[in-house]
Amino acid sequence: MRFLMTTKGGGQAPDEAMYAEMGKFVEEMTKAGVLLATGGLDPVGTRFTSSGGEVTVTDGPFTEAREAIVSFALIEVRSKEEAIEITRRFWKIAGDGVGGMQQVYGPE
Amino acid sequence: MTSWDAHTAVDAVWKLESARIIAGLVRMVGDVGLAEEFAQDALLAALERWPEGVPDNPGAWLMAIAKRRAVDHLRRAERLDRGHERLAHELSVQPDPGVAEPDPADGLDDDVLRLMFVSCHPALSTRARAALTLRLVGGLRTEEIARAFLVSETAVAQRIVRAKRTLAARRIPFEVPPQGERAARLSSVLEVVYLVFNEGYAATAGDDLMRPGLCLEALRLGRLLARLMPGEAEVHGLVALMELQASRAGARTGPQGEPIPLHEQNRGRWDRLLIHRGMAALLQARAVGGPFGPYVLQAAIAVCHAQAATAEDTDWAQIAALYAALSRVLPTPVVRLNQAVAVAMADGPEAGLALIDPLLAEPAMRNYHLLPGVRGDLLARLGRSAEARAEFERAAALAQNGPERAILLKRAAVLPALPVTFGPAVAAFLDREGLDPATVRSYRKTLTRLLREVGADRALAEVTAGQIAETFAAVWGRAAAATWNRHRAAVRSFAAWAEAGELGALLERRPEPRGRSRPMDPAAVETLLARPGLALRERAFWTLLYEHAARAEWALALDVEDGGRLPWPPRTAALLAQLIGDRVRGPLFLADRRSPRTTRDRCPDTGRGRLSYERAEYLFKQASGCTLRQLSQAGTPPSPA
């Protein structure tokens, strides 16, 4: 099963040591065949609202920057527990912040 | 911490860490069984202590406890064996377990690789290797392995115990094999990973989830291996193959679990992410270079499918070429069958059938349902419905799994059955597509007359060769030899088509005045023999008749022993050697079907009968428009040696 881990903006600013440790963690998870894809996201996104057949496009930035998703990781694991364990390890390295973890349905 | 109890937490951590923990322990104590014991101790300790609070780095925690147990053991062993020089020496060359490792990550990676080579050691059976690898490297519990492989827990436990005992008794070293044996040992590892993958891939919806879970285990093992051995093209090839196959997992079964063949799958349900990963892995394999091994070639074939937007866009010529290369490095009957399928798609069903026919003699294929399945498919595409139907029915009888059997029976049911009474059989025989109108006219005359005499409602099986001979004598007994022979040819052609080979058996060929039967043009013979996709049996038989100017009846009566004994012209000799393969007895030219008789006209190994003159003549006429006699006459008899 796959899970999408996301982090929101406004977390702890990364320093060099955290970068290095995170790099090692990413490499380790890739090697173990767990991490399928990962990336950072521009917090200044574009918002789409569809209502009654009309699609409204609004360019950012938006005021609630803390709510914007700024990074993601798609992992493939045996169980939800395993996903939790990996996400926990991620946060041990990332320090303070807020994020989520959701199961991904779809082609499997 | 919600949704996180100690058991599941320990289990999840264990599965993530087991490979490194076990590998580190094996290096310390030099024995897989002992290493696992200490790891189990650590797991028990975790179950006791973690409910009070899970450590920050649970993997390191487990490792520390297990190592402490290992150190205790080594000290105890040292005390017990003090004075025993050999053991003392062994301990002195072990790395000191008390000292922390200088670079734990790098050292552990190498240890994990060593562990995989040990758990996949060829001294163990493939099944034992798979179970042990899942247990040690994948961290699966015995019960999980048992569920995944559909065997009892006791069986798996025994398999693992025996495997550990074998490894200890054989003193298998904990090492990455040296260059000389690296390739063979690596292929043993890859075989295990692919076995695990296929075991999971074969499982369908509704099965225990542990089974499809095996695909993920295999993918993980493969991805790990690719990182540990980046210089091995076949490792990347296997990973590519598995990623690409896994990308189709969601599209390959229907709602009831019935298999959906590749060309009918909804390509929108293929997992683009895995396709992308598969292609990337294949590129890495190519970057490593060297000759392409079986996994790289299979992955390249999978990429061809993945790149086709629709089934019609598939580059079958490329796939057929890749299969040709694959059948050179991996000449198994199954690969050759797949090659035949690809060739049939690229060059037409006849070319495919020509590649399949030699497989009918393979003992390994005798109970393999896909062989008649594929043959039925190709025959159906050629409009040979009755034969196709029989093949689908045979395939259904051999198929192991319910949904597959149902599909084969459905395919058989939509095809018309072989007409069993004389009249409809004749009508179907004359109604085939692609026949020369003059031939049809001639056949029709003979057969309509025969029908009138014998009765159109007679069951074909009831009509005997004797009756046909009597009728012939009464109706055409006084006709010219050429006329008699023409009617005779019509009946024999019909009998061969309807697979009632005996019907014309009693009709003697009448000698025609000389010069009536012209030899074939040698150029035409050469063109015919060079025709691509010609079946080996036909190519060998026709070359023999032509090069040796031999009579067909004589050649068909030859046995395998004669094939090796007689002084054949070179081309014939080479083809016969290929045709005989490793057969040592039985008829030289075998029919496609098994013979119910147990005479010398039956191959004692495959049960197939001797190729009949009627069938041989029919096949040659279909291919050339000439008779076997005309073929023999085209050749020059060998000078007496």
Side-chain angles (χ1 to χ4, degrees):
Chain A
M1 52 183 86
R2 290 176 182 174
F3 286 85
L4 186 71
M5 290 161 50
T6 51
T7 64
K8 291 186 174 173
Q12 195 176 323
D15 58 19
E16 214 165 293
M18 191 213 284
Y19 259 127
E21 212 177 330
M22 193 58 85
K24 236 175 94 182
F25 178 64
V26 165
E27 196 194 306
E28 193 185 305
M29 286 298 115
T30 308
K31 193 187 295 172
V34 170
L35 184 61
L36 296 182
T38 182
L41 305 175
D42 183 356
V44 183
T46 304
R47 179 170 297 167
F48 291 78
T49 323
S50 174
S51 172
E54 192 165 330
V55 179
T56 318
V57 183
T58 322
D59 276 327
F62 306 100
T63 42
E64 62 281 30
R66 297 181 68 87
E67 287 305 306
I69 292 171
V70 294
S71 77
F72 77 94
L74 184 63
I75 58 175
E76 190 168 45
V77 291
R78 301 174 175 103
S79 61
K80 184 177 176 191
E81 286 73 28
E82 209 171 272
I84 291 174
E85 171 61 23
I86 289 164
T87 311
R88 216 173 59 87
R89 289 186 189 187
F90 168 84
W91 282 107
K92 286 272 176 204
I93 300 168
D96 296 348
V98 179
M101 185 197 91
Q102 288 157 282
Q103 185 169 356
V104 178
Y105 301 109
E108 233 182 278
Chain B
M1 210 166 286
T2 54
S3 75
W4 215 62
D5 69 78
H7 260 95
T8 51
V10 172
D11 193 50
V13 170
W14 174 247
K15 287 196 165 79
L16 286 170
E17 300 290 342
S18 71
R20 283 140 56 104
I21 293 176
I22 300 267
L25 291 170
V26 175
R27 185 156 54 78
M28 282 174 68
V29 299
D31 180 86
V32 171
L34 272 179
E36 237 207 330
E37 238 171 72
F38 302 138
Q40 291 296 331
D41 288 349
L43 276 175
L44 284 177
L47 282 174
E48 254 170 52
R49 307 257 283 277
W50 289 10
E52 299 157 21
V54 177
D56 275 355
N57 187 340
W61 189 95
L62 284 172
M63 184 62 147
I65 299 276
K67 273 195 171 174
R68 206 172 302 154
R69 297 276 194 280
V71 170
D72 288 348
H73 166 84
L74 288 172
R75 295 232 168 96
R76 213 165 36 242
E78 195 179 12
R79 266 201 307 279
L80 282 175
D81 293 314
R82 214 187 301 277
H84 292 241
E85 223 170 294
R86 188 179 53 84
L87 265 182
H89 172 73
E90 268 180 22
L91 277 171
S92 70
V93 296
Q94 300 276 3
D96 184 348
V99 178
E101 306 199 1
D103 190 348
D106 289 355
L108 281 176
D109 276 355
D110 291 346
D111 284 347
V112 169
L113 187 56
R114 291 188 189 108
L115 181 62
M116 282 181 91
F117 274 108
V118 169
S119 70
C120 296
H121 196 279
L124 311 173
S125 74
T126 316
R127 289 264 149 191
R129 277 183 254 161
L132 194 62
T133 305
L134 286 173
R135 166 105 184 167
L136 298 180
V137 187
L140 263 60
R141 294 189 303 272
T142 308
E143 166 245 330
E144 291 173 317
I145 300 171
R147 263 165 56 202
F149 283 105
L150 306 177
V151 290
S152 76
E153 208 174 320
T154 330
V156 173
Q158 279 174 355
R159 207 175 274 168
I160 289 174
V161 167
R162 270 201 303 269
K164 287 182 195 163
R165 218 177 280 152
T166 307
L167 290 176
R170 301 270 304 261
R171 293 175 166 271
I172 304 298
F174 186 59
E175 63 176 18
V176 173
Q179 203 56 52
E181 34 179 305
R182 176 87 53 90
R185 292 282 304 277
L186 180 60
S187 82
S188 166
V189 175
L190 299 182
E191 183 195 345
V192 169
V193 175
Y194 199 40
L195 169 95
V196 171
F197 182 84
N198 277 323
E199 195 71 36
Y201 203 64
T204 52
D207 277 326
D208 191 322
L209 277 179
M210 250 345 273
R211 278 170 67 64
L214 285 177
C215 286
L216 177 60
E217 298 298 338
L219 268 170
R220 277 195 178 186
L221 289 172
R223 290 167 185 164
L224 175 64
L225 204 54
R227 290 292 176 134
L228 297 179
M229 303 189 88
E232 297 287 347
E234 278 289 270
V235 177
H236 295 296
L238 173 59
V239 172
L241 178 61
M242 293 192 298
E243 303 266 17
L244 288 160
Q245 282 186 315
S247 78
R248 305 196 289 255
R252 76 201 173 95
T253 46
Q256 266 80 50
E258 71 278 16
I260 301 178
L262 187 61
H263 65 274
E264 287 171 14
Q265 287 175 13
N266 175 356
R267 286 168 193 239
R269 296 191 61 194
W270 287 1
D271 187 335
R272 304 314 303 182
L273 177 63
L274 291 184
I275 289 177
H276 178 81
R277 291 179 63 94
M279 287 180 175
L282 187 60
L283 285 178
Q284 273 182 298
R286 289 198 171 150
V288 171
F292 292 156
Y295 290 114
V296 172
L297 286 167
Q298 289 175 82
I301 291 165
V303 164
C304 286
H305 288 300
Q307 279 175 329
T310 66
E312 291 70 39
D313 291 339
T314 310
D315 185 352
W316 285 108
Q318 171 74 5
I319 292 175
L322 286 166
Y323 266 118
L326 182 61
S327 69
R328 279 193 294 274
V329 294
L330 196 69
T332 67
V334 174
V335 167
R336 283 157 61 202
L337 180 62
N338 283 322
Q339 184 189 1
V341 172
V343 166
M345 293 303 289
D347 303 330
E350 258 168 359
L353 274 181
L355 283 177
I356 285 179
D357 287 346
L359 292 175
L360 297 168
E362 291 280 347
M365 298 298 266
R366 206 173 306 155
N367 295 317
Y368 188 54
H369 68 284
L370 287 183
L371 179 59
V374 168
R375 235 180 143 249
D377 188 54
L378 299 184
L379 289 167
R381 278 160 57 193
L382 284 171
R384 288 157 68 177
S385 313
E387 293 164 83
R389 184 188 171 112
E391 288 288 36
F392 283 134
E393 280 165 356
R394 206 154 71 84
L398 290 173
Q400 299 285 326
N401 118 352
E404 226 169 334
R405 188 174 315 126
I407 284 184
L408 287 163
L409 286 175
K410 214 156 83 188
R411 293 205 65 180
V414 299
L415 292 165
L418 192 64
V420 282
T421 49
F422 209 1
V426 165
F429 171 68
L430 294 172
D431 203 31
R432 285 169 305 153
E433 278 174 34
L435 284 187
D436 171 39
T439 311
V440 175
R441 251 195 320 278
S442 161
Y443 283 178
R444 190 184 301 281
K445 257 186 226 161
T446 310
L447 294 170
T448 334
R449 186 66 205 272
L450 211 53
L451 276 183
R452 217 161 47 223
E453 300 295 327
V454 178
D457 296 338
R458 288 287 295 282
L460 200 51
E462 281 176 18
V463 183
T464 65
Q467 283 171 316
I468 296 289
E470 274 173 39
T471 312
F472 256 67
V475 181
W476 295 298
R478 267 174 286 169
T483 311
W484 168 274
N485 286 342
R486 195 175 65 240
H487 291 304
R488 174 179 176 273
V491 168
R492 289 167 71 101
S493 171
F494 167 71
W497 172 83
E499 293 177 346
E502 324 296 330
L503 276 188
L506 296 178
L507 300 175
E508 290 292 330
R509 188 186 161 79
R510 294 190 172 175
E512 292 177 28
R514 283 218 164 271
R516 281 300 297 266
S517 138
R518 289 210 191 141
M520 266 180 90
D521 177 8
V525 177
E526 292 293 348
T527 315
L528 178 66
L529 292 177
R531 186 181 287 180
L534 191 59
L536 177 59
R537 183 189 67 192
E538 269 60 63
R539 199 189 294 279
F541 179 51
W542 299 345
T543 308
L544 185 154
L545 294 189
Y546 174 56
E547 278 200 325
H548 211 258
R551 275 176 49 239
E553 294 90 325
W554 172 81
L556 288 169
L558 291 172
D559 287 324
V560 166
E561 294 91 321
D562 306 312
R565 202 162 50 212
L566 294 171
W568 300 110
R571 248 203 300 173
T572 306
L575 285 165
L576 286 183
Q578 224 182 320
L579 181 70
I580 291 171
D582 37 29
R583 286 193 292 142
V584 290
R585 55 204 174 147
L588 181 54
F589 297 103
L590 288 174
D592 295 339
R593 307 197 158 248
R594 299 182 57 146
S595 160
R597 297 178 212 107
T598 48
T599 59
R600 65 175 282 271
D601 287 336
R602 178 177 184 271
C603 171
D605 299 315
T606 62
R608 287 165 57 194
R610 185 182 294 280
L611 178 61
S612 71
Y613 184 90
E614 285 81 356
R615 182 74 186 156
E617 178 82 294
Y618 171 76
L619 287 172
F620 187 68
K621 265 208 177 135
Q622 290 284 308
S624 68
C626 297
T627 62
L628 289 169
R629 190 174 164 75
Q630 288 175 287
L631 171 64
S632 308
Q633 289 169 348
T636 38
S639 50

